[in-house]
Amino acid sequence: MPYLKDKGQSPKPMDCRILTAALHLFVHHGYHNVSVHDIQRKAKASIGSIYNHFDSKEGIARALYYHLLDEFEEMLADVIAEELTNIDRCNRIISLLFKYTESRHEIVEFMLYEKHRRFIPGAPPICGVAPFSTMQDIVKWGIENGEICQGSECVITSCVFGGAIRMIHLRLDGLIDRPLPELYDAFIAHIWQGLSRKDQGSLLRAVSG
Amino acid sequence: MPYLKDKGQSPKPMDCRILTAALHLFVHHGYHNVSVHDIQRKAKASIGSIYNHFDSKEGIARALYYHLLDEFEEMLADVIAEELTNIDRCNRIISLLFKYTESRHEIVEFMLYEKHRRFIPGAPPICGVAPFSTMQDIVKWGIENGEICQGSECVITSCVFGGAIRMIHLRLDGLIDRPLPELYDAFIAHIWQGLSRKDQGSLLRAVSG
DNA sequence: GTCTATACGCTGATAGAC
DNA sequence: GTCTATCAGCGTATAGAC
């Protein structure tokens, strides 16, 4: 393809043209507002060719979705392989998502902002699926080894990644006008340190002094 | 209707039947997977009657959307009128959203989990629209009067409400099996106090990392 | 205001030549 | 494998009786 990275078996050139066209159209107009004719035109292929590569319009969406899901999961595997603390793993994931939101916004929008079950009948809710459960695992490990505060995994995971996902949505909707990576440091600090006013200075002084 | 509350001018009985049927069907099957015939059947009205009350299928969705948006905004006005601290206002909003997720899940799902622009062409992105900008205002006031830590409004608003919205999505997708109000206290504590373990060592790590 | 019957465009999918 | 031409069904919306 490649979408997020080069590894893994990429689809064949023609599949790629079709999937890339479909991704673009789905993101900008919505699955239901895009016809197979639109995809065919954009991919510079014919209807017959489309149906030679995919069994249906829904099949195109499915292929796209599961392909990107795999790439997402690969990215997370890489982050886990890095042997960081679990907090830093969370931060790294957020950092990558913020970057991709700028550089590959169509992919991020399709994966993080679309209701896939609306057009892929069999699809499980995305938040329960591999990459997202992996994110919850990382949080769980962090709680277990004491990096992260005690509490319900799903609540803490929601706090960590829910805020990030919200920012991505706002950015994609044009309601944040700065590139997300510029807001990364502030965001990370808020999440881990909390949002109520606190006298950070004295806390830090207490440690160093 | 009433959806969230009784005040305001409710639609007429027939409008109400149609809108209630449409809400149910849109939430469960998605706007594009619902035909006017489905709505007509569910509302126990005829096609002709539907088109006597609304100009189009899209018109039904629009009426529903803006009606609920008004009710949402009214709810926020009530919270603001209560004269709480701004942090408590945020908490109160989250508490109400959690409660409504249990008792009126179709409304919450329609308002917080649907991509309205996919079927209501003129609609502005929901996060930029009245109730959501009001939420950002509350955060802004909290920053200004020193209750909430210094920082970018949109980042802090994302942290506060993004986590809550994420939990609502997870709950609506069946990935959280406990009623959200039971998780409210924990959630609030995490948001305002932060997620890293609370001894100074890890706080410093979070700051430097 | 409510109803039934109908028109008709669009779109997903197929057939069959090359 | 790719293409064009075509079909069949669905779904929005209208016409017109009551």
Side-chain angles (χ1 to χ4, degrees), chain A residues 75-96 138 141-142 145 147 184, chain B residues 205 209:
Chain A
M75 183 198 91
L76 292 189
D78 288 350
V79 170
I80 290 173
E82 279 186 57
E83 296 270 356
L84 302 163
T85 64
N86 288 297
I87 286 183
D88 282 335
R89 282 173 174 153
C90 291
N91 293 348
R92 183 116 185 75
I93 292 166
I94 291 167
S95 168
L96 286 169
I138 294 173
W141 303 332
N145 73 9
E147 295 169 48
Y184 167 80
Chain B
R205 235 190 350 267

Side-chain angles (χ1 to χ4, degrees), chain B residues 35-37 47 51 56-57:
Chain B
S35 73
V36 179
H37 289 274
I47 291 269
Y51 280 96
S56 62
K57 179 186 169 187

Side-chain angles (χ1 to χ4, degrees), chain A residues 193 199-209, chain B residues 200 203-205 207:
Chain A
Q193 294 168 38
D199 196 340
Q200 248 170 270
S202 68
L203 251 179
L204 293 176
R205 259 197 315 280
V207 178
S208 50
Chain B
Q200 291 92 339
L203 194 77
L204 280 178
R205 235 190 350 267
V207 173

Side-chain angles (χ1 to χ4, degrees), chain A residues 67-200:
Chain A
H67 178 80
L68 292 174
L69 220 46
D70 280 349
E71 291 196 338
F72 194 170
E73 184 64 13
E74 267 181 48
M75 183 198 91
L76 292 189
D78 288 350
V79 170
I80 290 173
E82 279 186 57
E83 296 270 356
L84 302 163
T85 64
N86 288 297
I87 286 183
D88 282 335
R89 282 173 174 153
C90 291
N91 293 348
R92 183 116 185 75
I93 292 166
I94 291 167
S95 168
L96 286 169
L97 288 177
F98 280 9
K99 275 182 200 147
Y100 287 137
T101 301
E102 304 302 325
S103 61
R104 312 272 230 285
H105 80 98
E106 289 179 353
I107 296 172
V108 173
E109 183 155 353
F110 187 75
M111 296 309 284
L112 254 47
Y113 207 164
E114 210 65 47
K115 294 196 83 177
H116 309 93
R117 302 165 90 183
R118 288 278 184 254
F119 49 90
I120 308 178
I126 184 148
C127 358
V129 110
F132 291 89
S133 59
T134 304
M135 284 151 73
Q136 183 153 331
D137 286 340
I138 294 173
V139 167
K140 191 181 68 183
W141 303 332
I143 297 172
E144 284 168 1
N145 73 9
E147 295 169 48
I148 298 176
C149 65
Q150 291 297 310
S152 155
E153 286 164 31
C154 71
V155 174
I156 294 174
T157 307
S158 295
C159 292
V160 177
F161 295 107
I165 291 171
R166 183 81 187 156
M167 286 183 65
I168 290 170
H169 287 184
L170 290 170
R171 175 66 174 153
L172 291 171
D173 278 341
L175 290 152
I176 292 181
D177 46 16
R178 290 171 61 193
L180 292 188
E182 291 181 17
L183 302 172
Y184 167 80
D185 288 330
F187 176 75
I188 291 298
H190 287 316
I191 285 296
W192 299 112
Q193 294 168 38
L195 295 170
S196 55
R197 185 187 55 183
K198 53 180 67 68
D199 196 340
Q200 248 170 270

